[in-house]
Amino acid sequence: MHVVTKTVALLLATACLALAQPAPVLRVDVARPVAEIQPTMWGVFFEDINFGADGGIYAEMVKNRSFEFFKPLMGWKVDGKKRTEGDVLVQNRGDEKSSNPRYLRVTTNGAVAGDLSLTNEGFRGMGIKKGLRYDFAVLYGYPSAGKVTMQLNLLNAQNEVIGTGTLSPDATASADRDGQWHKAQVSFTATATEPKGKLRIGLEGTGVIDLDMISLFPEDTWKGRPGGMRADMVQMLADLKPGFVRFPGGCIVEGHDLEQRYQWKKTLGPIEDRQLLINRWNFEFGHRPAPDYFQTFGLGFLEYFQLCEDIGAAPLPILNCGMACQFNTAELVPMSQIDPYVQDALDLIEFANGDVSTQWGKVRAGLGHPKPFNLKMMGVGNENWGPQYIERLAVFQKAIKAKYPDFKLICSSGTDPNGDRFDYLNGNLRAMNADLIDEHYYRRPEWFLQNVGRYDSYPRNGSKVFAGEWAAQSDDVAKPTNKNNWQCALSEAAFMTGLERNAAVVQMASYAPLFANADGWQWTPDLIWVDNLHVYGTPNYYVQQLYSRNKGTNVLSMTANGQALAGKDSLYASAAWDKAASEIILKMVNVSGKSVNRTVQLDGAKKLARTGTVMLLTNDKLDAVNSFENATAVSPVEQQIPVDSNKKTVAMMLAPRSLSVVRIKVTP
Ligand code: AHR
């Protein structure tokens, strides 16, 4: 009894002491920035996964426009009241045009309306908007005399007509019967909005016509570029103000086998010459098969560079290193045959930066962009590993550094942030003096909280880190049950304080993957979700946006009792200085379910504004998500906060489960 009383008394005393102790003041040293934050710090990772490019940001609405899918008529329905045997034939001209061998030969035997039609289903339907212009185009040829008219109809899900155009490829001009291909186009306006539309092409008249590259684009592409990108999706990227865009992947760089690796040179020039490839995500996951997923490369390397230029992001291409995906065939190019791979890398630098008098600079100029793209870095290999990777990388490094000593190379540390594979690569890459080492972590939210200090102990000299692919998984990596919920986003926000604090080491970071089509995804979680008409950012998107738009130029030290705030009392924090804006930026994360008060002391600040701005991202439910119906359920709200400019303090009330980004102006 006596012992119990004593214990209770002791507990009470401890509790009172704890209550009596004031919460530690968070001290920010404004006068002494500790490291530079690179302009590239927060970027985006783009890969054609989840219908990110074809069926996504690349605004082409016709699926299998050139009949090159494994099943040549996949996505198409041939229909009509008066079909005759052989009226629609798939022709293959083989080596005559190996990049695009197939086309359709259609014979119309006096067909009138309703007799013969081709209907394309789009990428899980076509998103059609009332009042918007649609641009139809086709390559055609008449192998013999005849005249065929195309009646174009946009259809809604009930097969009602919601847009009409007519195209009569000229059959009278002899030039049209010269055995060559010609382009015909017509534009028309939709009369209704439809998320699951289709395009029907009625073929009427008498004659034989060859058809290829049947295409439909909306008028409202990004910057109104014909054959361009979905403006709403690009806008989401632009709104992030990313420091870089990594492209084109991801595993897609490696290919299932070497034959199917991504080859940038094949993605330039006329779209009908860009040789299609099966998308590796077509068959990667048995639980999410996508038999209609192919890469048309309508979004090719010039377009990627253009996108970066448009949104002010540094381009970061990743090239194949002579190894196919090690989860798939793991094919290796023999060392004796690696030169073309290395040459591709050297040529890419010349393509991006070379004077128009150089071989590849001239190609760029010929494609309409004489101005260089100012490429400064490139990745060699994606998730490649083992001595075979190091051996191949060394050849790239030697050749590229010999020609371009200041050009930065990003090197792979494999698939995981720890373990033998990582340790081997990390050790070897540092010994090779790699510029940047690409680390990937798809882990549970708890991992992100436990690893906020991951980079505190990394060497300040030598190789830097590119946190190239990461996302908190609510379930487990590559599980279809993963959700973009607030718990994941909050843990990422906390982790990012550790990245920012260690900007001397971590120079670039990107969440992955970027886009997912709600009807055609293979991998969750993803930063931005789209359907044919809409787009929304996840809570994770808003975390990325708050960091990216409030990046600052220098890290400031922010401590509680002399220590970085990295989990004590469920709090995480970092601070930055924005030189151009002359502002202090604080990022504070409270992962607990209780609100917490903290005073921040801004040591060394000269004159502070009397109010600061807080961008608050919070939700009391850890499983909260955004959706098409409620796109901004978890999104930042802006508030003003008083600053005690005499005491140089700001009193923060950190809401439960919140990220607060604070900006305070300092006047000289
Ligand atoms: O982001 C999805 C995939 O995850 C990437 O393609 C690959 O690099 C990683 O395994």
Side-chain angles (χ1 to χ4, degrees):
M1 186 68 177
H2 180 65
V3 174
V4 173
T5 316
K6 253 178 103 175
T7 311
V8 170
L10 194 68
L11 282 174
L12 276 173
T14 317
C16 290
L17 201 65
L19 279 176
Q21 269 181 2
V25 170
L26 301 178
R27 307 197 87 95
V28 175
D29 191 346
V30 182
R32 274 196 301 276
V34 291
E36 263 182 52
I37 298 172
Q38 299 301 313
T40 50
M41 182 73 189
W42 310 113
V44 295
F45 159 96
F46 189 99
E47 177 169 20
D48 193 2
I49 183 173
N50 302 318
F51 281 45
D54 284 288
I57 204 167
Y58 180 52
E60 173 64 86
M61 298 167 75
V62 174
K63 184 168 76 181
N64 194 12
R65 64 186 174 191
S66 62
F67 312 102
E68 303 299 335
F69 284 17
F70 289 176
K71 292 182 181 167
L73 286 176
M74 186 179 250
W76 292 94
K77 188 169 169 209
V78 185
D79 214 354
K81 289 191 296 245
K82 241 170 107 185
R83 298 276 325 271
T84 53
E85 195 66 30
D87 53 2
V88 176
L89 297 172
V90 177
Q91 305 274 316
N92 189 325
R93 63 200 127 163
D95 288 346
E96 195 187 302
K97 189 155 181 84
S98 56
S99 60
N100 176 16
R102 293 201 195 119
Y103 60 93
L104 279 197
R105 175 157 289 177
V106 181
T107 303
T108 54
N109 300 304
V112 296
D115 284 351
L116 177 60
S117 65
L118 302 168
T119 303
N120 191 274
E121 66 187 24
F123 294 89
R124 317 296 157 100
M126 296 177 179
I128 295 166
K129 296 177 196 158
K130 184 177 177 180
L132 195 71
R133 194 192 76 216
Y134 288 84
D135 301 329
F136 175 88
V138 60
L139 291 184
Y140 72 95
Y142 280 106
S144 55
K147 184 161 174 72
V148 175
T149 296
M150 298 186 192
Q151 296 296 350
L152 308 171
N153 287 318
L154 293 175
L155 305 177
N156 64 15
Q158 293 72 44
N159 289 326
E160 293 155 349
V161 175
I162 55 167
T164 304
T166 304
L167 191 64
S168 298
D170 191 353
T172 53
S174 59
D176 271 18
R177 281 180 274 111
D178 57 4
Q180 301 294 315
W181 288 93
H182 301 273
K183 186 169 182 178
Q185 43 202 341
V186 66
S187 297
F188 50 94
T189 302
T191 55
T193 293
E194 170 61 45
K196 296 279 179 190
K198 288 177 262 189
L199 170 69
R200 185 173 65 204
I201 307 167
L203 295 141
E204 299 171 14
T206 301
V208 181
I209 190 166
D210 292 338
L211 303 173
D212 198 8
M213 300 302 292
I214 301 178
S215 167
L216 187 73
F217 273 87
E219 168 193 8
D220 64 346
T221 55
W222 172 251
K223 290 190 180 284
R225 292 198 185 109
M229 299 192 208
R230 254 180 77 167
D232 55 349
M233 291 175 70
V234 179
Q235 191 61 54
M236 289 295 281
L237 301 185
D239 290 348
L240 283 171
K241 291 198 190 299
F244 65 90
V245 178
R246 167 183 168 161
F247 59 88
C251 291
I252 213 154
V253 170
E254 303 159 31
H256 174 76
D257 55 27
L258 284 173
E259 185 63 29
Q260 291 169 48
R261 72 189 188 277
Y262 196 103
Q263 296 187 62
W264 70 270
K265 288 175 182 167
K266 294 188 175 183
T267 72
L268 305 177
I271 52 171
E272 60 271 23
D273 296 338
R274 303 185 191 182
Q275 191 176 354
L276 171 138
L277 273 188
I278 188 167
N279 188 307
R280 56 157 288 136
W281 300 107
N282 178 310
F283 51 82
E284 187 68 21
F285 293 137
H287 58 276
R288 295 292 301 173
D292 54 346
Y293 202 4
F294 288 77
Q295 298 180 82
T296 64
F297 302 108
L299 170 55
F301 257 44
L302 182 82
E303 290 79 16
Y304 278 120
F305 277 114
Q306 183 65 68
L307 169 69
C308 294
E309 186 178 272
D310 288 349
I311 63 176
L316 169 52
I318 309 282
L319 296 195
N320 186 294
C321 63
M323 301 173 79
C325 177
Q326 287 160 276
F327 290 116
N328 292 170
T329 61
E331 280 183 353
L332 296 172
V333 73
M335 292 304 290
S336 58
Q337 293 174 29
I338 201 170
D339 286 358
Y341 291 74
V342 180
Q343 195 57 49
D344 271 359
L346 293 168
D347 291 344
L348 181 61
I349 300 171
E350 188 175 285
F351 173 74
N353 297 346
D355 183 84
V356 295
S357 61
T358 61
Q359 183 194 350
W360 283 98
K362 192 168 167 194
V363 173
R364 184 190 70 242
L367 294 172
H369 202 288
K371 207 173 117 207
F373 285 113
N374 195 21
L375 180 67
K376 291 183 173 158
M377 57 192 164
M378 161 193 295
V380 176
N382 174 47
E383 281 185 347
N384 295 111
W385 66 80
Q388 298 77 15
Y389 173 63
I390 295 294
E391 192 183 14
R392 280 160 184 75
L393 175 69
V395 183
F396 280 83
Q397 192 188 40
K398 190 167 170 216
I400 294 171
K401 293 285 179 182
K403 197 158 180 196
Y404 304 103
D406 296 331
F407 195 83
K408 299 266 181 269
L409 287 187
I410 284 158
C411 311
S412 159
S413 67
T415 50
D416 295 279
N418 46 20
D420 292 348
R421 195 180 278 168
F422 176 86
D423 292 342
Y424 170 82
L425 289 172
N426 195 39
N428 276 276
L429 293 174
R430 285 178 185 276
M432 284 168 78
N433 209 13
D435 297 314
L436 284 121
I437 300 177
D438 181 6
E439 298 190 0
H440 294 185
Y441 18 88
Y442 295 101
R443 292 288 190 271
R444 300 257 321 155
E446 302 80 43
W447 183 94
F448 283 85
L449 296 182
Q450 285 153 10
N451 282 272
V452 174
R454 177 178 175 87
Y455 297 108
D456 292 351
S457 56
Y458 267 51
R460 265 41 197 164
N461 297 322
S463 303
K464 305 297 178 199
V465 169
F466 167 35
E469 288 186 34
W470 49 273
Q473 316 285 297
S474 66
D475 189 348
D476 201 357
V477 62
K479 284 271 175 66
T481 36
N482 284 316
K483 296 273 176 278
N484 282 99
N485 66 28
W486 178 228
Q487 182 182 18
C488 290
L490 192 60
S491 71
E492 291 155 6
F495 180 75
M496 289 166 82
T497 61
L499 299 185
E500 181 175 280
R501 229 170 354 93
N502 287 290
V505 171
V506 183
Q507 298 199 332
M508 305 169 76
S510 44
Y511 181 100
L514 183 59
F515 285 117
N517 181 316
D519 293 324
W521 58 270
Q522 293 79 49
W523 179 296
T524 53
D526 306 285
L527 202 62
I528 300 166
W529 284 78
V530 309
D531 64 16
N532 290 334
L533 289 174
H534 311 98
V535 49
Y536 75 85
T538 57
N540 319 69
Y541 173 88
Y542 290 108
V543 168
Q544 293 297 315
Q545 190 183 54
L546 283 173
Y547 270 85
S548 186
R549 294 179 78 127
N550 297 287
K551 180 169 50 199
T553 49
N554 302 83
V555 182
L556 299 175
S557 124
M558 183 173 192
T559 52
N561 293 329
Q563 301 290 316
L565 194 53
K568 176 122 181 32
D569 302 328
S570 305
L571 300 180
Y572 303 80
S574 59
W577 170 245
D578 185 332
K579 205 169 173 182
S582 188
E583 285 179 1
I584 300 163
I585 306 170
L586 309 175
K587 305 197 176 79
M588 304 181 73
V589 179
N590 174 11
V591 300
S592 79
K594 294 178 297 188
S595 72
V596 178
N597 296 318
R598 284 291 181 274
T599 299
V600 184
Q601 175 79 47
L602 302 164
D603 293 331
K606 287 190 184 147
K607 195 169 168 215
L608 292 175
R610 293 223 178 113
T611 39
T613 307
V614 185
M615 282 137 293
L616 176 66
L617 188 60
T618 185
N619 199 288
D620 54 359
K621 294 195 179 63
L622 289 174
D623 60 357
V625 293
N626 290 341
S627 62
F628 291 109
E629 295 71 35
N630 196 350
T632 52
V634 187
S635 59
V637 287
E638 199 174 301
Q639 299 165 349
Q640 299 303 306
I641 186 171
V643 176
D644 188 328
S645 48
N646 294 325
K647 289 191 189 155
K648 308 265 168 43
T649 57
V650 55
M652 293 292 305
M653 197 281 285
L654 301 169
R657 296 174 180 143
S658 66
L659 161 64
S660 305
V661 177
V662 186
R663 297 193 73 116
I664 301 167
K665 194 115 197 144
V666 180
T667 44

